[in-house]
Amino acid sequence: HIAWQALRDFRKAEGRFPAPGDVEDQQKVVNLAQHINAAHKSAGHFHVGTLDVALVSALADGAQGEINPMAAFLGGMVAQ
């Protein structure tokens, strides 16, 4: 949840999602997630003991991705 909040804050600040493969954008999202986690901890809200930096970076890296509508349709059919 913290990673999603960081991604939302990045989009508010930059007006876009992080670019795929852009290490600087990924680091910005990681920094936001660390800041959010620390703020939640100090306020006594939900926080994590150790933030999974690789997971937050992966979320930032794929944030601009789109699922092809045909792949989504076929995936839904196969799942049923």
Side-chain angles (χ1 to χ4, degrees):
H1 190 73
I2 292 169
W4 286 105
Q5 289 177 335
L7 190 60
R8 179 199 62 206
D9 289 353
F10 178 91
R11 186 167 187 218
K12 281 183 181 179
E14 301 288 332
R16 61 178 175 81
F17 285 114
D22 189 335
V23 178
E24 189 175 309
D25 281 356
Q26 291 174 13
Q27 189 58 49
K28 287 179 184 178
V29 175
V30 167
N31 291 343
L32 285 168
Q34 290 170 336
H35 176 73
I36 291 167
N37 192 46
H40 284 198
K41 182 177 180 179
S42 66
H45 298 300
F46 171 80
H47 66 281
V48 293
T50 304
L51 190 68
D52 188 346
V53 174
L55 178 66
V56 177
S57 293
L59 177 68
D61 192 37
Q64 283 191 15
E66 294 182 19
I67 296 176
N68 179 314
M70 184 58 77
F73 173 77
L74 292 174
M77 294 295 290
V78 169
Q80 293 186 20

